[in-house]
Amino acid sequence: MQNIPLVNLKSQYLKIKNEMDQAIFDVIDQTAFINGQAVQDFENQFAKLYKANYCVPVANGTDAIYIVLKKLGIKDGDEVITTANSWISSSETITQVGAKPVFVDINPDFYTIDENKIEAAISKNTKAIIPVHIQGQSCEMGSIMALAKKYNLHIIEDCAQAHFTEYYEQHVGLFGDASTFSFFPGKNLGAYGDAGGILTNNERLALNCKMFARHGALKKHEHEIEGINSRLDTIQAAILNVKLPYILEWTSKRIENASLYNKYLADVKEIVCPKVRPNTKHSFHLYVIRTKKREKLALYLKEKGIETAVHYPVALPNMKAYQYLNYKPTDFPIATAYQELMLSLPMCPELNEEQIVYIANCIKQFFAIES
Ligand SMILES: *Cc1c(COP(=O)(O)O)cnc(C)c1O
């Protein structure tokens, strides 16, 4: 029997162990734990890879969204539109600045916010949209930017799952006012703890975000405003710097692995494999299939040594945390139906063809027994 984790962080570490150990040791040796050189290096290199004017390194991907919303002036009484299927950071940050999250159902093929249902959710209080490039799939940015222009709305792209995803050959993350990234260990570019970042081409917004994340001071003891403590840790920055030179190769490997899954699962009628939005590059943070027999399949795969997960078992508006908004599950027919059907199969650059064949064969065996 094989043992295939959802994400193989250990195997990735072993491939870069020498340089990684050295980079971590160097930070300790220099005792530059806060705002060390590695943080500045990451800021420069990440921005450069994206051809973005500014990167603001922060403590995690959730803070990144909160900080951007705050510095765009989103506040009490405002509404911000986001998707029904995401991690709670996409919406809890809206509440953190005092605004109200307004959820929109997802596109049945691509899992991202349904661009055709956004306009109906816009009110006179709407100030921004947070499109989430979920699973690594690009949102329909053309339609979303057109709405932003028509209604004068801010756009904050949540790129936590979409490092180097492309929409018409442009990286997602530079379409809106700013974009936010998570470098949580399991993300496509992951630190060895919490880490995050903001990208923007807007100089004033970049400086305001940076100042806010550092207690309201760009220079030590010169507090122009009150802020928060959301610095990127130097050790985490050093870890990210080691990984940056590999990230494009790792992204290609994910895409390759997704094609292999598609190939080996093509004739399994009981499941729906992920589709890629035309004219985009999906970075496959997750490889999500849909099946009516999800629970039984997950259990069967577990017995075969294959780890799976559900992203996510409850759509955001259906959560207890949002009961106060008085939504009904039927307001989000696709997201509500899919919360019972989605299953994430192992996906990472370290996954190989032999393992994918094994996983595909186990899935076929399961449906042969079931039918
Ligand atoms: C992971 C994630 C975040 C939050 O990132 P953290 O670094 O864990 O705070 C935000 N949005 C989405 C869609 C995510 O997947």
Side-chain angles (χ1 to χ4, degrees):
M1 194 177 85
Q2 301 216 18
N3 187 5
I4 309 177
L6 196 67
V7 182
N8 200 334
L9 293 177
K10 186 62 184 277
S11 143
Q12 188 191 64
Y13 167 63
L14 293 176
K15 282 184 189 164
I16 52 175
K17 185 177 186 316
N18 289 343
E19 28 176 352
M20 189 57 89
D21 291 356
Q22 188 63 49
I24 295 170
F25 175 80
D26 286 347
V27 175
I28 300 169
D29 191 52
Q30 293 153 14
T31 64
F33 300 114
I34 303 293
N35 290 339
Q37 185 57 40
V39 178
Q40 188 62 54
D41 292 346
F42 177 74
E43 177 179 324
N44 297 340
Q45 286 172 44
F46 194 63
K48 196 170 156 207
L49 260 180
Y50 264 89
K51 297 190 180 70
N53 290 351
Y54 304 95
C55 166
V56 181
V58 296
N60 57 69
T62 309
D63 277 4
I65 308 172
Y66 166 69
I67 292 165
V68 170
L69 286 169
K70 185 89 182 171
K71 291 295 112 184
L72 284 172
I74 313 288
K75 55 179 194 314
D76 223 27
D78 293 341
E79 290 178 8
V80 178
I81 292 171
T82 194
T83 175
N85 176 39
S86 185
W87 176 244
I88 195 166
S89 304
S90 312
S91 51
E92 69 181 349
T93 47
I94 298 170
T95 319
Q96 282 166 14
V97 297
K100 179 181 155 189
V102 174
F103 293 106
V104 168
D105 204 3
I106 58 171
N107 177 301
D109 286 324
F110 306 124
Y111 300 93
T112 52
I113 189 168
D114 187 338
E115 63 279 1
N116 297 314
K117 292 183 181 163
I118 296 176
E119 195 159 18
I122 296 174
S123 81
K124 62 178 195 327
N125 297 322
T126 308
K127 291 285 154 48
I129 304 172
I130 303 181
V132 182
H133 305 296
I134 199 83
Q135 305 169 3
Q137 175 98 267
S138 171
C139 296
E140 184 45 60
M141 289 315 293
S143 321
I144 293 172
M145 292 317 295
L147 283 173
K149 200 166 171 205
K150 182 171 172 188
Y151 293 96
N152 194 22
L153 304 175
H154 292 297
I155 300 292
I156 303 112
E157 293 175 78
D158 183 343
C159 296
Q161 301 190 6
H163 310 75
F164 303 96
T165 291
E166 292 176 11
Y167 177 84
Y168 283 85
E169 288 172 15
Q170 302 234 33
H171 288 136
V172 298
L174 291 172
F175 286 90
D177 296 70
S179 59
T180 61
F181 289 81
S182 168
F183 308 117
F184 177 88
K187 297 289 162 77
N188 287 17
L189 176 62
Y192 289 169
D194 281 309
I198 298 163
L199 288 183
T200 179
N201 283 332
N202 180 330
E203 181 179 15
R204 216 175 68 123
L205 183 61
L207 284 175
N208 283 339
C209 288
K210 193 170 192 177
M211 186 189 288
F212 185 69
R214 297 179 176 200
H215 297 292
L218 286 173
K219 291 198 191 121
K220 205 168 187 179
H221 299 307
E222 291 183 21
H223 302 275
E224 298 179 38
I225 53 165
E226 284 184 324
I228 61 169
N229 180 0
S230 185
R231 295 177 295 236
L232 172 62
D233 203 84
T234 309
I235 287 185
Q236 300 306 337
I239 288 160
L240 292 170
N241 289 336
V242 171
K243 290 191 176 191
L244 268 183
Y246 300 99
I247 187 61
L248 297 177
E249 181 192 325
W250 287 342
T251 306
S252 303
K253 199 78 209 323
R254 284 175 182 274
I255 295 167
E256 229 172 85
N257 284 342
S259 313
L260 290 171
Y261 266 127
N262 291 345
K263 176 176 149 193
Y264 292 114
L265 292 171
D267 52 352
V268 187
K269 285 178 291 295
E270 295 89 345
I271 66 173
V272 183
C273 291
K275 293 187 180 67
V276 178
R277 187 188 299 285
N279 301 307
T280 70
K281 184 161 146 185
H282 193 313
S283 63
F284 285 99
H285 171 55
L286 299 171
Y287 186 90
V288 177
I289 61 167
R290 294 198 307 276
T291 164
K292 289 190 175 124
K293 303 232 162 112
R294 179 180 71 192
E295 308 308 326
K296 276 178 107 172
L297 174 61
L299 209 64
Y300 184 83
L301 293 178
K302 192 177 169 199
E303 283 165 8
K304 300 286 177 190
I306 301 162
E307 187 187 8
T308 61
V310 176
H311 300 92
Y312 296 96
V314 184
L316 292 170
N318 297 339
M319 284 180 177
K320 190 174 171 204
Y322 293 112
Q323 257 174 19
Y324 74 98
L325 291 172
N326 292 316
Y327 283 115
K328 296 184 297 298
T330 46
D331 295 335
F332 308 93
I334 308 295
T336 298
Y338 282 13
Q339 69 186 19
E340 316 287 339
L341 306 174
M342 296 185 287
L343 186 68
S344 300
L345 300 182
M347 172 51 87
C348 60
E350 292 70 32
L351 194 68
N352 60 43
E353 183 161 5
E354 185 203 335
Q355 292 173 313
I356 293 170
V357 168
Y358 173 73
I359 296 166
N361 285 340
C362 289
I363 292 175
K364 287 175 190 169
Q365 279 164 23
F366 169 79
F367 285 109
I369 298 165
E370 278 292 303
S371 60

